[in-house]
């Protein structure tokens, strides 16, 4: 797979991970020039037509999810028999590896991770996408500590029926009871899985262990988890209550939306314990203990809206009503002693007090006998909320406050007290909090990162409250390799505190292919090479065929050279003239041989014969390769010569080499 080009665009590079369904590679988007993660489906799933159809549907849906806590899906496709998803390339490690390496996390970190996952799920659920595979392996922890949820694209197709795949033990540790039973799933199934993720993050281990997926899944359905504090005494009761509510077997007993869970975790992180206790007040199986507020232990109390907070869980995992009962009995004995003294001191006062108490109790019980569900005001305007509160006459409009929110639109209800769906007495006052939108962040000046090392860039950005993030590498002729060549947010501009400044490291001077200019004129070749980024040097060589044209280049055309380097072109020039040796007095044949040896050709002048003696030549200087025309004269033989074909016998009638006679004139 490495080296393959998918979809004519995505270059597959090294493998960075393998799972039960797919292999993930680091790759390069050749069109946009950015690093991406390429997830390719394993062949046994890619060859299943039903899976392929679901894969396409889910990948397209996942690409529409926009959240800082969801990994971005850029593209998907099929190349041959390979299905692939193109995703945002993340740096960091998955949460599972982090827990294995560092063990249990502190409570605040667990709540922070949980709140970010809840926000990611809230976005997905609004798009009717249920993740179905929330587990630490699918949570990427980035270098800045924030998380990204992965695998929205194939989760639904992958985990429709866990019981059909006994090999997926890692997934079985996190699935909801209804998921193992093949029931219809809703947002609360992801909330259950998130509860187990927080459980593992807080304790360092999953709540249910087993030898195979089926045994673990059965425990998900039938067994209650040990309270996290039993495994890690550092887990505080409030966070424990949140986790255990997420993990209720009955979906109706969990938080009903990811947004509701996010609000509770946000309250926990902000130290608003009363609101946390109110949200987790009644857990199934402990309602009786909660309802009897006279038996609450010290430190417990009534949450807003007259609902008792969740009873504290002991380190042995058992509720402790016995101690509360004993303390209540002691208090009752003390009250009896005081009443006896009061009777002795003044019976009349006691009677009056008793009557007053009875009257008060009758009033309280009478008013509390009728309760109504609190309307859900989330996302309503202040006017809409007031109408919803007062329209039936059961509740009263209370105080309206404003607060900043990064997740709720400005002007809409972001919080309410009491919370939605709680049963409250008639006449209860409902307070609301209206979102002011995202809190404006402080503006800072962006530092100039050019020529810095990545470490220097990180320090410079951190100093002013920004985050430096590495982007793709780029070629740069002026910046040393390994140093920053450019940044996406302009230097010295203003940016909100917390903004990510992406920088690009130089790969050094770029290499350019030398264009073919052989045969071009000197001027044309020089222009072409300079436009390609080269300097040009010209040398000349004599050439009778390519005068004024480029004969060759150095380095050769088609090879690569550093941009800005010099390319030498060789241009042909007319050959220069040289002296022609004298051949006068020689026979034509000898004269021709001598001229050829000196780079010339011999030719007969008009009226001359090849059997004669050279009496004149046309040039004394000429360009090599030129033809020198020779004038010859045939001399008469004094004693007569033989016929034209006979050998010469006279001293003057024959040729100088004595091989051929001349015809007598």
């Amino acid at each position: 797979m490495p080296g393959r080009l998918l979809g004519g665009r995505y270059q597959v590079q090294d493998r960075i991970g393998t799972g039960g369904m797919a292999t993930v590679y680091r790759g390069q988007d050749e069109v946009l020039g950015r690093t991406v993660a390429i997830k390719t489906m394993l062949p046994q799933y890619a060859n299943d037509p039903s899976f392929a159809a679901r894969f396409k549907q889910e990948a397209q849906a996942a690409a529409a999810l926009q959240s800082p806590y969801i990994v971005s899906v850029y593209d998907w496709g099929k190349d041959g028999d390979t299905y692939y998803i193109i995703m945002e390339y993340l740096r960091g490690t998955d949460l599972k590896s982090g827990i294995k390496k560092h063990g249990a996390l502190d409570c605040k970190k667990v709540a922070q991770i949980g709140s970010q996952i809840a926000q990611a799920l809230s976005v997905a659920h609004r798009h009717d996408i249920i993740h179905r595979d929330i587990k630490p392996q699918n949570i990427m922890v980035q270098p800045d500590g924030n998380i990204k949820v992965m695998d929205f694209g194939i989760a639904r197709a992958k985990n429709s029926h866990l019981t059909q795949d006994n090999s997926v033990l890692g997934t079985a540790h996190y699935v909801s009871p209804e998921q193992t039973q093949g029931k219809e799933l809703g947002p609360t199934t992801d909330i259950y899985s998130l509860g187990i993720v927080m459980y593992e993050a807080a304790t360092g281990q999953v709540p249910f262990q087993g030898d195979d997926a089926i045994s673990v899944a059965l425990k998900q359905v039938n067994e209650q988890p040990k309270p996290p504090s039993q495994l890690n005494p550092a887990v505080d009761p409030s966070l424990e209550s949140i986790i255990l509510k997420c993990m209720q077997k009955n979906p109706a007993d969990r938080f009903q939306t990811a947004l509701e869970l996010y609000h509770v975790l946000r309250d926990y992180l902000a130290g608003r314990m009363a609101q946390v206790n109110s949200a987790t007040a009644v857990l199934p199986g402990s309602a009786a203990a909660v309802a009897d507020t006279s038996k609450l232990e010290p430190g417990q109390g009534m949450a807003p809206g007259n609902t008792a907070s969740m009873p504290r869980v002991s380190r042995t995992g058992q509720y402790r009503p016995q101690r509360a009962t004993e303390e209540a009995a002691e208090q009752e004995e003390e009250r009896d002693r005081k009443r006896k003294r009061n009777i002795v001191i003044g019976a009349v006062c006691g009677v009056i007090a008793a009557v007053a108490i009875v009257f008060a109790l009758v009033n309280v019980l009478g008013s509390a006998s009728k309760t109504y569900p609190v309307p859900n005001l989330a996302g309503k305007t202040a006017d809409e909320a007031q109408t919803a509160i007062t329209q039936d006459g059961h509740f009263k409009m209370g105080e309206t406050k404003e607060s900043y929110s990064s997740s709720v639109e400005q002007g809409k209800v972001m919080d309410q007290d009491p919370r939605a769906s709680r049963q409250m007495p008639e006449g209860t006052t409902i307070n609301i909090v209206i979102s002011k939108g995202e809190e404006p962040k402080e503006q800072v000046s962006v530092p100039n990162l050019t020529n810095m090392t990545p470490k220097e860039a990180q320090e410079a950005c951190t100093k002013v409250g920004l985050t430096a993030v590495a982007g793709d590498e780029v070629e740069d002729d002026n910046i040393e390799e390994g140093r920053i060549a450019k940044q996406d947010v302009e230097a010295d501009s203003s940016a909100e505190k917390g903004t990510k400044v992406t920088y690009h490291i130089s790969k050094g001077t770029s290499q350019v292919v030398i264009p073919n200019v052989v045969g071009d004129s000197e001027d044309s070749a020089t222009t072409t090479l300079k436009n390609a980024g080269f300097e040009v040097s010209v040398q000349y060589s004599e050439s009778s065929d390519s005068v004024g044209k480029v004969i060759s280049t150095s380095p050769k055309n088609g090879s690569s050279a550093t941009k800005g380097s010099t390319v030498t072109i060789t241009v042909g020039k007319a050959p220069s003239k040289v002296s022609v040796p004298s051949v006068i007095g020689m026979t034509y044949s000898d004269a021709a041989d001598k001229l050829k040896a000196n780079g010339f050709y011999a030719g007969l002048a008009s009226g001359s014969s090849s059997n004669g003696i050279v009496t004149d030549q046309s040039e004394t200087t000429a360009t090599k390769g030129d033809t020198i025309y020779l004038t010859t004269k045939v001399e008469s033989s004094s004693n007569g010569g033989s016929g034209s074909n006979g050998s010469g016998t006279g001293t003057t009638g024959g040729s100088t080499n004595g091989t051929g006679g001349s015809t007598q004139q």
Side-chain angles (χ1 to χ4, degrees), residues 76-151:
W76 79 277
K78 181 183 180 185
D79 191 310
D81 294 330
T82 302
Y83 284 92
Y84 61 87
I85 296 176
I86 307 300
M87 304 182 299
E88 175 184 6
Y89 179 74
L90 300 177
R91 291 170 174 82
T93 185
D94 65 88
L95 181 58
K96 186 73 171 182
S97 300
I99 295 173
K100 284 183 177 179
K101 182 176 180 181
H102 302 291
L105 309 179
D106 67 79
C107 291
K108 293 294 185 184
K109 187 62 179 176
V110 173
Q112 179 188 1
I113 290 174
S115 70
Q116 292 182 359
I117 298 173
Q119 290 180 74
L121 290 175
S122 178
V123 172
H125 294 168
R126 285 202 301 270
H127 286 77
D128 295 324
I129 293 178
I130 311 302
H131 191 290
R132 304 183 183 215
D133 196 23
I134 292 295
K135 57 186 178 183
Q137 296 91 325
N138 284 335
I139 310 301
M140 182 65 73
V141 182
Q142 300 177 97
D144 62 2
N146 290 319
I147 64 94
K148 291 259 188 180
V149 181
M150 302 185 293
D151 273 357

Side-chain angles (χ1 to χ4, degrees), residues 202-240:
T203 65
Q205 58 184 281
V206 292
F208 303 111
Q209 304 281 357
D211 295 330
D212 53 43
I214 295 298
S215 62
V216 174
L218 289 174
K219 290 182 179 181
Q220 298 280 19
V221 176
N222 300 317
E223 295 186 11
Q224 292 295 332
K226 293 180 180 179
S229 58
Q230 195 177 117
L231 303 176
N232 178 12
V235 178
D236 65 58
S238 296
L239 181 61
E240 182 172 88

Side-chain angles (χ1 to χ4, degrees), residues 15-80:
R15 185 174 65 182
I16 57 179
T18 301
M21 297 286 294
T23 302
V24 182
Y25 299 89
R26 185 169 60 89
Q28 182 75 11
D29 183 343
E30 299 292 346
V31 174
L32 297 179
R34 65 181 173 187
T35 302
V36 295
I38 304 174
K39 173 169 287 190
T40 61
M41 299 300 101
L42 296 180
Q44 61 265 39
Y45 297 103
N47 293 331
D48 183 343
S50 62
F51 176 87
R54 183 68 64 85
F55 168 83
K56 174 181 177 180
Q57 174 187 351
E58 296 296 333
Q60 289 175 329
L65 301 181
Q66 299 294 323
S67 168
Y69 305 118
I70 296 177
V71 62
S72 297
V73 174
Y74 299 141
D75 194 6
W76 79 277
K78 181 183 180 185
D79 191 310

Side-chain angles (χ1 to χ4, degrees), residues 463-477:
K463 187 176 181 180
V464 296
L466 302 174
T467 302
V469 179
D472 300 331
E473 294 182 339
V474 296
E475 295 175 341
D476 194 290
D477 301 333

Side-chain angles (χ1 to χ4, degrees), residues 202-337:
T203 65
Q205 58 184 281
V206 292
F208 303 111
Q209 304 281 357
D211 295 330
D212 53 43
I214 295 298
S215 62
V216 174
L218 289 174
K219 290 182 179 181
Q220 298 280 19
V221 176
N222 300 317
E223 295 186 11
Q224 292 295 332
K226 293 180 180 179
S229 58
Q230 195 177 117
L231 303 176
N232 178 12
V235 178
D236 65 58
S238 296
L239 181 61
E240 182 172 88
S241 298
I242 295 171
I243 293 172
L244 292 178
K245 182 165 182 177
C246 290
M247 294 175 58
Q248 290 302 300
K249 304 299 182 186
N250 185 351
D253 295 331
R254 302 169 199 156
F255 295 101
Q256 293 303 290
T257 67
L259 185 61
E260 179 187 4
L261 173 57
Y262 160 66
H263 284 151
V264 174
L265 288 168
R266 181 196 62 189
D267 290 341
Y268 171 80
L269 289 168
R272 295 191 285 267
M273 292 300 108
Q275 295 186 43
V276 173
N277 290 339
S278 174
T280 59
V282 179
L283 293 180
S286 64
V290 174
D292 189 354
T293 58
S294 67
K295 297 182 181 180
L296 292 175
E297 292 190 69
Q300 293 180 315
M302 300 296 291
N306 301 323
T307 301
S309 61
M310 179 184 175
R312 184 178 301 275
V313 180
S314 71
R315 297 308 181 198
T316 62
Q318 301 296 322
Y319 294 116
R320 297 184 296 179
Q322 182 60 40
R323 177 182 167 190
T325 303
E326 292 170 355
E327 292 177 354
E330 292 174 359
Q331 294 172 2
E332 185 62 29
E333 291 175 1
E334 179 63 25
R335 284 194 294 271
D336 286 342
R337 286 194 293 270

